[in-house]
Amino acid sequence: MTTRTGDRPRRALARTGCAHSLSAQDRETLIAAFDVILPGDDDGVGANGADAITFVEAALANGNCRRNLKRVIEGLPLLDAYCEAMCGVSFTEATPLGRSDVLLRLRDTPHPTVIRFLVALVRVTLAGFLTSPRHGGNYDGRGWEHVGYTPHRRSAGIQSPGADQ
Amino acid sequence: MNRTAADAIVVGSGAGGAAVAHTLASRGFSVLILEKGPRYERADFVHDEMLARGAQDMFLPSIEDDPHILADHSTDPPTVTPSLVGWTAVCVGGGTTHMGGTLHRLHPKDFTLRSSLGEFYDVVDWPYGYAQLEPFYALAEGLIGVSGCGDGWPSEMFRSKPFPLPPFESHPLALRFDEECRRRGLRPFATPRGINSVPFDGRPACEHCDMCSGVGCPVGARGSAQETLLARAEATGNCVIVPQAAVVRLRVDHTRRVRAVDYIDADGIERTMSAPVVCICCGAIESARLLLLSASRACPEGVANSSGLVGRYLQFHSSSSGYGVFPQPDETPKAAPSAVVNRALMDYYFAPDDRYGYQKGGFISFNLMRRKPLAIAERIALGQGINSTGELVWGQALKRLLKNSVSGQESVEFEVFHDAIPNAGTYVELDGTIKDKFGLPAARINYRPLDLYASVGRWAAERGVELLNAMGAERAGVFSVGVRNPYMPKGTCRAGTDRRSSVVSEFGQSHDIRNLFIVDGSFMPSSGGSPSTLTIVANALRCADYLAASARSQNF
């Protein structure tokens, strides 16, 4: 599945710079979290294979998904700190099993801020996996392929001549 | 046309205002429409699930600029919060710009509820009946381009003309629905839609793009006011629309005539316009607010408010909903993307008895659930809705649940529209504290829900679930019961024959001020149990027909 617009946000970022950007550490932590939320496997790519991180970078620049991204970015240091306390290493340094355990432990925490962070993390991951490739993620429509969605030509950002006449 | 000397000023360009403007302009009257919101074109409506989530920003004002203060009296003391409840869309075309397009008629008994079902809260009969509105229902359907079918149409709802457009292609589940309904002695019919099933009036047929309700149509297949009534009005050369013109005051003189309309334009400059006739069509809440804001020495209680009833008897629709999930075996041929369920039932429009205190049920509309991949995935991951596991899911488990989640099943959802009952506890007034961006008091919505909404809603929703189960749903259930639908408010300027118990005549003319017409959902004495957009358009066509015919004799 190919779209004509999948790499636009990357070009836009290169051109305009990013008003709000992730620190290098936040970026690595988020990529590690994406691997837990939606991992790649024999059954297809996961969030990282669909380039969800590019979606995040583009969204930070253009204001999409603003509320959830804010919650995620504010929660990433907490995630690292919790992992340090639990496993003795940062989230990115933890094993895949350790990362998964950390998120599961957090899910069992009744604190509303923690739950809001996890819900936002899941929403952002899915957005990077399933929104139109014009937003930077869902690379080559691979997320859509996984859920069995055949995009309407307008969803794919493809306009046929005369469509709006 | 001299914009300061139009024959009529119409305030608001939604279902009511557009219909008035169309009639007047097509009969040679010059019309100036002052619309508070911007004007969008088809190209502004981008087809994108993520951007569609932000479409509310496009259609609704910000809560800081234009709040509606909601005082919910279901708790004691009432919960009071700034909200956007009651705003449908602030733009040229109003709420019709993003409507789902269910353009159904009211039942003849809706016009005579008090006579038919007896005294109940503040329910009254309408000042006219179904027979008087029927020609205008037919006219509205023809102007907008409503698709539908006579098969199964309730025989008691007389139609003088067939639907102008054929129904949409039927999905296999629609045929199964028809079969099951008929087995039970029910009368299923194609839901009347203000969306082109075939090219009509220079606009293309629907592309079945999975977005629709809540989003503007990028091809113009939806019969919005802008695409239909306003386009025709402008084509006459007699109608000018001024977007971003917020009317803030009606000036009434000592002879009890509206002499002028004050508005603030796109540059923030206050301007004044005058015309022999003024039609207020801002929707039930904002029309009442404007009349109350315009209080003056000539009208100390607010314009057109000698009865004290402006703002009273506000009604929202009550809404209940449910779903059924149907497996889609691999060997089943996939239905064409253009095939839809789009079925409706009026068989539960009245309850079998008054076990809920009132013998009124509602219109039930069944549709295929839209294939929005992100929305479906979120519901699965967050443990909500029809694929509910009840908890947050991720990892391999989520990956497995997502696999073919969009293509692997068909889901039918249904909505029951049931009556809101006019009652003394639900009304609009001016808020004593909160102001809008112009420094004018915001509307305060006092809302008192009745227990009836939940009990009737559950009864009707359970009928829907029964049907879907009988059709072979893998699982089916009720989503919600008795929820206040934030759209389509009505009441607040009730129509009637007695000036002591109503605000306007049966033709929308103020009992107090002869050159003032109020022509939107605010006239409705009762809500009916189905979406009200077509009724608002038909009533506005009827009022405008009267206005055009009597303009000379009334010497406005």
Side-chain angles (χ1 to χ4, degrees):
Chain A
M1 190 186 297
T2 307
T3 67
R4 287 197 249 151
T5 54
D7 60 347
R8 269 188 200 163
R10 265 191 263 231
R11 289 204 301 269
L13 282 175
R15 194 171 59 246
T16 62
C18 196
H20 309 281
S21 56
L22 293 169
S23 70
Q25 189 180 347
D26 284 346
R27 191 176 191 280
E28 292 311 309
T29 306
L30 198 50
I31 288 172
F34 284 162
D35 254 341
V36 180
I37 303 296
L38 212 52
D41 55 23
D42 293 345
D43 207 13
V45 298
N48 285 322
D51 216 359
I53 195 69
T54 303
F55 163 80
V56 169
E57 288 168 337
L60 284 169
N62 61 29
N64 282 334
C65 215
R66 191 167 20 202
R67 195 171 61 170
N68 286 317
L69 271 173
K70 181 171 181 285
R71 283 184 179 159
V72 167
I73 291 169
E74 285 172 358
L76 289 175
L78 176 134
L79 185 62
D80 254 341
Y82 194 79
C83 192
E84 285 273 2
M86 202 175 124
C87 310
V89 291
S90 71
F91 193 75
T92 50
E93 290 163 336
T95 62
L97 197 60
R99 290 174 193 164
S100 185
D101 276 349
V102 167
L103 289 182
L104 283 173
R105 292 271 189 100
L106 284 173
R107 188 174 70 180
D108 294 336
T109 307
H111 200 291
T113 308
V114 174
I115 299 301
R116 275 199 292 270
F117 163 70
L118 285 176
V119 168
L121 179 61
V122 168
R123 285 184 189 275
V124 167
T125 310
L126 289 173
F129 191 61
L130 289 171
T131 51
S132 167
R134 64 162 71 94
H135 298 299
N138 190 10
Y139 180 72
D140 211 11
R142 288 175 189 173
W144 285 343
E145 202 172 346
H146 183 77
V147 299
Y149 174 66
T150 306
H152 188 271
R153 59 188 176 78
R154 291 181 183 277
S155 291
I158 299 168
Q159 301 281 329
S160 62
D164 291 320
Q165 315 250 319
Chain B
M1 188 171 71
N2 180 349
R3 288 170 56 173
T4 60
D7 295 321
I9 291 174
V10 175
V11 184
S13 63
V20 169
H22 165 267
T23 301
L24 296 181
S26 62
R27 303 228 188 139
F29 294 92
S30 60
V31 179
L32 175 68
I33 300 180
L34 299 175
E35 165 55 53
K36 185 173 190 171
R39 180 174 191 139
Y40 294 121
E41 303 301 337
R42 292 178 189 176
D44 294 317
F45 303 129
V46 180
H47 188 283
D48 183 304
E49 190 180 2
M50 168 149 289
L51 298 182
R53 291 176 169 208
Q56 277 205 332
D57 296 340
M58 204 174 176
F59 295 123
L60 301 184
S62 78
I63 204 164
E64 293 79 20
D65 284 351
D66 252 324
H68 282 166
I69 310 306
L70 179 64
D72 187 339
H73 292 264
S74 58
T75 59
D76 186 18
T79 312
V80 180
T81 45
S83 77
L84 292 177
V85 166
W87 285 112
T88 306
V90 184
C91 64
V92 172
T96 64
T97 309
H98 63 69
M99 65 178 176
T102 303
L103 295 185
H104 191 44
R105 301 176 174 201
L106 293 187
H107 189 280
K109 256 191 187 174
D110 282 317
F111 298 79
T112 58
L113 276 188
R114 177 148 175 166
S115 313
S116 304
L117 300 182
E119 199 170 314
F120 192 63
Y121 287 90
D122 294 292
V123 169
V124 292
D125 288 350
W126 288 35
Y128 60 81
Y130 181 87
Q132 283 73 46
L133 196 57
E134 199 290 328
F136 297 95
Y137 270 141
L139 177 60
E141 289 168 347
L143 289 168
I144 295 169
V146 177
S147 63
C149 179
D151 291 349
W153 179 258
S155 53
E156 66 273 27
M157 295 172 69
F158 164 73
R159 297 186 61 86
S160 57
K161 289 182 181 170
F163 284 100
L165 272 67
F168 286 95
E169 186 181 347
S170 292
H171 188 279
L173 281 171
L175 302 177
R176 217 193 293 178
F177 178 85
D178 292 346
E179 195 180 320
E180 182 56 36
C181 285
R182 287 181 185 131
R183 205 177 62 74
R184 291 162 173 257
L186 305 176
R187 303 171 297 174
F189 59 97
T191 309
R193 287 271 167 205
I195 296 175
N196 285 357
S197 55
V198 294
F200 176 74
D201 197 26
R203 295 179 290 113
C206 175
E207 289 189 356
H208 301 275
C209 67
D210 284 335
M211 290 287 166
C212 207
S213 182
V215 183
C217 181
V219 298
R222 177 186 292 134
S224 70
Q226 186 178 358
E227 293 282 358
T228 58
L229 299 162
L230 294 174
R232 287 168 185 256
E234 286 184 298
T236 63
N238 295 328
C239 176
V240 170
I241 303 173
V242 183
Q244 295 183 283
V247 173
V248 292
R249 193 177 308 106
L250 306 179
R251 293 193 192 187
V252 176
D253 66 17
H254 67 283
T255 65
R256 299 179 82 78
R257 290 174 57 85
V258 178
R259 284 292 175 199
V261 168
D262 295 337
Y263 71 96
I264 297 173
D265 73 8
D267 298 319
I269 298 168
E270 184 158 337
R271 298 184 184 280
T272 299
M273 290 280 182
S274 56
V277 173
V278 174
C279 301
I280 303 301
C281 316
C282 314
I285 292 168
E286 287 298 309
S287 283
R289 177 178 173 232
L290 178 60
L291 296 172
L292 295 173
L293 282 174
S294 302
S296 64
R297 280 177 61 189
C299 306
E301 303 304 323
V303 172
N305 197 23
S306 66
S307 63
L309 293 179
V310 168
R312 297 281 151 178
Y313 310 126
L314 170 69
Q315 299 145 68
F316 292 97
H317 264 298
S318 279
S319 159
S320 302
S321 62
Y323 67 92
V325 180
F326 294 84
Q328 186 162 299
D330 290 342
E331 66 269 21
T332 302
K334 301 278 189 215
S338 55
V340 294
V341 168
N342 197 48
R343 287 294 190 272
L345 283 177
M346 287 287 281
D347 299 277
Y348 303 112
Y349 203 69
F350 296 94
D353 48 47
D354 54 5
R355 69 186 76 168
Y356 308 113
Y358 200 52
Q359 205 178 335
K360 195 71 200 290
F363 165 84
I364 314 183
S365 166
F366 296 78
N367 292 294
L368 280 179
M369 205 172 276
R370 299 215 169 269
R371 294 174 180 272
K372 294 182 177 176
L374 184 57
I376 291 171
E378 283 187 351
R379 280 200 295 265
I380 292 172
L382 304 182
Q384 299 165 342
I386 61 174
N387 290 307
S388 174
T389 57
E391 64 175 9
L392 204 53
V393 187
W394 61 64
Q396 299 287 353
L398 176 58
K399 195 87 182 290
R400 274 195 303 275
L401 286 168
L402 290 181
K403 181 79 175 174
N404 293 329
S405 55
V406 174
S407 60
Q409 64 189 24
E410 289 286 14
S411 302
V412 175
E413 58 188 351
F414 66 84
E415 183 168 10
V416 186
F417 295 84
H418 41 103
D419 293 49
I421 306 295
N423 65 81
T426 303
Y427 60 97
V428 176
E429 61 184 340
L430 297 180
D431 193 82
T433 312
I434 309 290
K435 295 187 166 39
D436 70 2
K437 66 177 174 183
F438 301 124
L440 299 170
R444 180 184 175 99
I445 298 168
N446 293 280
Y447 178 66
R448 186 184 301 281
L450 308 183
D451 293 343
L452 167 81
Y453 301 160
S455 52
V456 165
R458 180 162 296 282
W459 168 76
E462 284 172 352
R463 303 291 75 75
V465 171
E466 264 174 21
L467 259 174
L468 296 178
N469 275 325
M471 283 167 59
E474 203 168 60
R475 55 190 185 282
V478 172
F479 266 143
S480 62
V481 291
V483 173
R484 179 191 59 242
N485 187 325
Y487 300 136
M488 295 186 280
K490 34 208 151 258
T492 75
C493 295
R494 175 183 270 186
T497 50
D498 184 345
R499 59 186 306 140
R500 291 166 304 179
S501 58
S502 59
V503 176
V504 295
S505 74
E506 65 167 302
F507 297 111
Q509 187 170 21
S510 161
H511 290 310
D512 299 345
I513 296 175
R514 245 173 7 95
N515 70 336
L516 177 67
F517 288 73
I518 304 166
V519 194
D520 50 25
S522 61
F523 84 96
M524 292 178 72
S526 54
S527 70
S530 61
S532 48
T533 307
L534 187 71
T535 299
I536 292 170
V537 174
N539 176 71
L541 292 171
R542 183 172 184 267
C543 292
D545 180 67
Y546 166 82
L547 171 54
S550 65
R552 193 156 296 155
S553 63
Q554 293 210 53
N555 191 26
F556 293 121

